[in-house]
Amino acid sequence: LIHKLPTENNIVVFEKLFSDNYKYTQPLAMTSWKIHSETKTILGFKTQKATIEYSGRKFIAWFTEAIPISDGPY
């Protein structure tokens, strides 16, 4: 479970591993997205590829300006 706290600029992550529960907080700011020239059509929308390395992970996102929502990668 991921809970975003935009007013505090944090993400709180709740995870269960076997019988133990864990909670940790990490920064929400993801400002180093790399926008690529690669495009593809998804559900009729022309999308563009973006990538970021965040919190030790590599994310790929496909976005379109036709849907003006800035929320990701979670």
Side-chain angles (χ1 to χ4, degrees):
L1 174 68
I2 297 171
H3 183 72
K4 293 182 183 182
L5 303 171
T7 57
E8 298 175 24
N9 203 28
N10 285 322
I11 297 172
V12 181
V13 180
F14 300 89
E15 293 189 13
K16 183 172 182 138
L17 183 61
F18 301 106
S19 62
D20 297 319
N21 293 309
Y22 295 92
K23 172 187 167 185
Y24 60 91
T25 303
Q26 61 188 56
L28 179 61
M30 293 177 226
T31 57
S32 58
W33 284 95
K34 181 178 178 185
I35 308 299
H36 301 268
S37 60
E38 187 178 347
T39 63
K40 70 177 175 180
T41 301
I42 300 174
L43 297 174
F45 292 97
K46 182 179 179 184
T47 63
Q48 189 170 358
K49 183 179 182 178
T51 58
I52 191 171
E53 289 191 33
Y54 174 74
S55 189
R57 300 177 187 131
K58 295 180 183 181
F59 291 92
I60 299 172
W62 293 91
F63 71 96
T64 177
E65 292 181 10
I67 302 173
I69 297 172
S70 180
D71 189 39
Y74 292 106

